[in-house]
Amino acid sequence: MAKKVRKDTKGRILHKGETYRKDKELYCYCYTDPLGKRHSLYSPDLGKLREKEKTVLRDRLDGLETYALARSDINYVFERYISTKTELRGTTMTGYLYNYDRYVRDSFGRKRIAEIRYSDIIYFYNSLLKKGLTVSTVDRVHCLLHPTFQMAVRDNIIRNNPSDGALAEIKKKMEKSEPRHALDIDSERRFLSILEQPEYKRWKPLFVVMFGTGCRVGEVIGLTWKEVNFEKNYIRVDHSMNYTPLYNDRKCKFRIELPKTAAGIRNIPMLNKVREVLLEEKERQKATKSGCKVVIDGMTGFIFLNRYGMPFTPESINREIARIVDDYNTAEELKAVREKREPLLIPRFSCHVTRHTFCTRLCENETNVKVIQTVMGHKDIQTTLDIYAEVSEKKKQDVFEQLNNINII
């Protein structure tokens, strides 16, 4: 079947991407840039519109020629690289572009790719650290720059990837300066005991589940009653909820996404306390008729809701953690002064620390690393081994302290 030829009101054949808007009496040309963003050009005159089209095409060809001659800057190569990542989820793409725009584009990104050397990468990463960025943030920047340079290598634009080994060099210098510590058992218990107070009690189910399952915060706020199997006593984790904008949409929205890896889909057995708080919360919602009514990407029945009946955002949970900890520490310091003793303070922590704390408790009581990896949903067992090794080192010190106390020699 012959393809229908599109024409304007004067009978002229319209090219691909061209349309005529009768309501506005304007010719329109639509195209997609290398980042997948849609653009439109308008003109009341078809000839002038096609001049604009030629400019767009020429700019693309000029950019490609510059790239082929290794004269393009890092920004151009990055945009070329990121345009190939069509499999990325919207929130992932948003994070990539945010980090690149914030830390690279207006500074290091303007340098010619052919002029970059290994020392330039090291100098740039060190400059980010001097500005107060953490090693993990520099790691995220590296995860954008390294594949960008690698694509240029494969395209025979440059001979070697100047970022090879750069992050390892930075981490080697900084590995002892940025440890991520779990809460010790006493701090964890103190925090959870605060939740028995009337003003904090509504937060108890959420934090007991976080400390008692080791779920990521997105997995917790996206948890629905459908995933809680009271009969077989486990929680099914098969999705996550994010509250972020897409790269082409500035407004933050809740979105349901699958775990990034197959390892993220798992069943977590329920501890007794986790089961108890969930049963209590289910009965409370039933009695008060305050269950979830919102639908997000076809899902409903979310367990943890704010006073407006919406799921919590990670930021709101972090703010509440800070408020509870600060309130407790202020009262504890005053009490300690009156009782002439050292205060038993709780360190500030974030949502992710609840996951790290659970993993630490698990490592302290379980020797099968594969069991720990499965429960935590770690894709790379090295992540599990690193935490297990840290816990084992502490336990080794405790064992030798006990040997000292009983005078074995």
Side-chain angles (χ1 to χ4, degrees), residues 1 9 21 46 67 97 101 188 222 232 235 271 286 302 306 364 373 400 405:
M1 184 176 177
T9 55
R21 301 284 299 274
L46 183 58
Y67 176 61
L97 293 177
D101 290 345
E188 180 183 356
K232 296 184 179 179
I235 293 173
L271 296 172
K286 183 178 180 181
F302 300 106
N306 61 23
E364 290 169 349
Q373 181 191 14
F400 272 75
N405 294 335

Side-chain angles (χ1 to χ4, degrees), residues 212-213 229 232-236 266-272 274-275 358 371 374-375:
T213 63
N229 192 323
K232 296 184 179 179
N233 201 51
Y234 69 79
I235 293 173
R236 175 71 170 172
R266 62 203 188 277
N267 293 337
I268 303 176
M270 282 191 283
L271 296 172
N272 290 339
V274 171
R275 180 185 176 88
F358 174 81
V371 170
T374 302
V375 172

Side-chain angles (χ1 to χ4, degrees), residues 27 71 123 131 146 149 157 162 184 227 242 317 320 377 388-389:
Y27 289 93
R71 294 173 182 169
Y123 181 84
K131 292 178 181 178
H146 186 268
F149 285 114
I157 303 302
D184 60 57
E227 284 87 57
N242 295 299
I317 298 174
E320 189 59 28
Y388 186 79

